[in-house]
Amino acid sequence: QGVIHRDIKPSNIMIGRYGEIQIVDWGLAKKSSINTNDTDMTLDIEMTKHGCIIGTPAFMSPEQSMGDTYKIGKATDIYSLGCVLYNILTGEVPFYDIEEESKFNYIRSERPTPIKTVLKNKNKMHEFIIDSLIQIANKAMQKEIHKRYQSSKEISEAILFWLVNSQNREKAYLLFHEGNQFQIQIEDRNEDLLEVNKNLQRSYSMNGFSKKTILLWKEKTKIEHTIQSLYEQMIRKYNEALLIDQNIQEIHEKIIREIFLWNRAIIYS
């Protein structure tokens, strides 16, 4: 709409009755110096004198912290959105560990504590979600204006791309965990197989091909077929997961490991 908010922060972002996102408190807003033809709009850059610092320090861009009204534009709000994302991911605001009297200097020249560092200190990590969103937050919070997203459309498309991929990743992990459930069943059946093998060997050594020995042999064969079926279902689930998201290294490693163990079991069986 050709307006710069200049005070985007969590308390000014609301969720409407129908789930829509609403930005509130436009008291510090100003017209963009470009792309606006609204002559009735009273908000304007001239209302804020050059050198006057306005906004909330924790979510303020470097150009705001210097009161540089000539540089304040769309990318200023983008920086603040990056700060909001930082807050969502870490539970902290940028430069939360810096004294108030030094905060402006840090905003202008330093970078906040890396998101991963904050999360590791809190023992809160989710590799895929964090890595993807950190890239978005870091780009939005670049000191240099030209290195940030240049419009709300750009950053929203980046977040939408993450959202779609994270949903695919979630589906892939769901299939991966379903495959792991088959592994648990395989381990249980392997224990049964070991017990049957012991009884079979004992029966054969004492009674030869007796009725009991034959029944134990049939039970052994049945368990082996069950294990084979469970193994195939497990690998199928892993492959379905990789069809959705081929970049989950954990699943690649799991398949290689299980195939190796299965082949070794066949060799020594």
Side-chain angles (χ1 to χ4, degrees):
Q1 300 297 320
V3 179
I4 304 159
H5 189 280
R6 294 197 291 186
D7 197 25
I8 289 179
K9 54 187 177 181
S11 61
N12 284 339
I13 301 174
M14 310 294 287
I15 299 178
R17 179 181 301 177
Y18 303 104
E20 72 278 15
I21 303 299
Q22 299 177 348
I23 306 297
V24 300
D25 191 359
W26 292 81
L28 298 181
K30 78 175 186 69
K31 287 196 294 185
S32 173
S33 58
I34 57 173
N35 297 329
T36 180
N37 297 313
D38 189 354
T39 55
D40 294 329
M41 189 177 297
T42 57
L43 303 172
D44 205 350
I45 190 170
E46 284 78 19
M47 293 181 65
T48 305
K49 293 182 179 180
H50 188 72
C52 180
I53 299 174
I54 61 170
T56 302
F59 299 92
M60 187 179 291
S61 67
E63 58 270 20
Q64 273 182 289
S65 72
M66 293 184 285
D68 193 343
T69 56
Y70 301 115
K71 290 185 178 180
I72 291 174
K74 294 179 181 179
T76 300
D77 282 348
I78 298 300
Y79 185 97
S80 297
L81 284 172
C83 293
V84 171
L85 182 54
Y86 184 104
N87 180 239
I88 291 171
L89 294 174
T90 66
E92 304 287 355
V93 297
F95 303 109
Y96 67 94
D97 48 352
I98 304 300
E99 296 293 333
E100 286 298 323
E101 56 268 21
S102 303
K103 192 157 289 186
F104 283 142
N105 289 332
Y106 274 82
I107 291 172
R108 295 163 187 165
S109 59
E110 305 292 336
R111 298 192 183 279
T113 303
I115 292 172
K116 276 192 174 181
T117 301
V118 180
L119 291 170
K120 285 178 180 178
N121 291 339
K122 293 185 172 187
N123 295 318
K124 294 181 180 180
M125 286 296 290
H126 189 311
E127 184 176 350
F128 171 73
I129 292 180
I130 294 307
D131 282 345
S132 302
L133 288 180
I134 280 177
Q135 294 175 16
I136 297 174
N138 285 345
K139 181 171 181 178
M141 295 174 64
Q142 288 291 319
K143 300 294 181 189
E144 300 87 349
I145 293 174
H146 70 277
K147 291 184 179 180
R148 301 175 203 159
Y149 297 101
Q150 296 301 301
S151 69
S152 58
K153 181 181 178 181
E154 282 188 24
I155 191 170
S156 65
E157 287 176 347
I159 292 174
L160 181 61
F161 181 80
W162 162 79
L163 182 61
V164 170
N165 280 277
S166 66
Q167 289 172 340
N168 287 340
R169 179 63 57 97
E170 186 176 351
K171 292 177 184 176
Y173 267 112
L174 180 61
L175 289 167
F176 177 56
H177 291 311
E178 288 178 3
N180 289 342
Q181 294 304 309
F182 287 114
Q183 183 186 28
I184 293 172
Q185 296 179 57
I186 290 170
E187 291 172 353
D188 291 340
R189 300 305 287 161
N190 274 330
E191 291 181 6
D192 295 339
L193 184 61
L194 287 173
E195 187 65 27
V196 170
N197 276 330
K198 289 178 183 178
N199 294 334
L200 178 61
Q201 291 172 6
R202 189 181 302 113
S203 178
Y204 180 75
S205 63
M206 294 175 62
N207 306 310
F209 286 105
S210 65
K211 183 177 180 179
K212 180 180 180 181
T213 301
I214 293 173
L215 288 174
L216 286 168
W217 179 267
K218 288 182 178 179
E219 186 178 357
K220 172 181 181 293
T221 303
K222 182 179 179 181
I223 293 173
E224 287 174 341
H225 287 162
T226 299
I227 292 173
Q228 174 70 31
S229 175
L230 290 170
Y231 174 80
E232 290 173 355
Q233 292 179 75
M234 177 184 70
I235 296 300
R236 190 178 301 118
K237 287 294 181 181
Y238 291 159
N239 284 328
E240 287 175 7
L242 289 178
L243 284 174
I244 294 174
D245 192 328
Q246 299 180 7
N247 298 315
I248 306 178
Q249 187 63 27
E250 182 180 1
I251 300 180
H252 285 286
E253 293 173 354
K254 184 80 170 181
I255 291 176
I256 293 172
R257 177 177 178 274
E258 293 303 327
I259 291 176
F260 169 77
L261 292 175
W262 182 257
N263 289 334
R264 188 175 69 174
I266 293 175
I267 292 172
Y268 290 104
S269 62

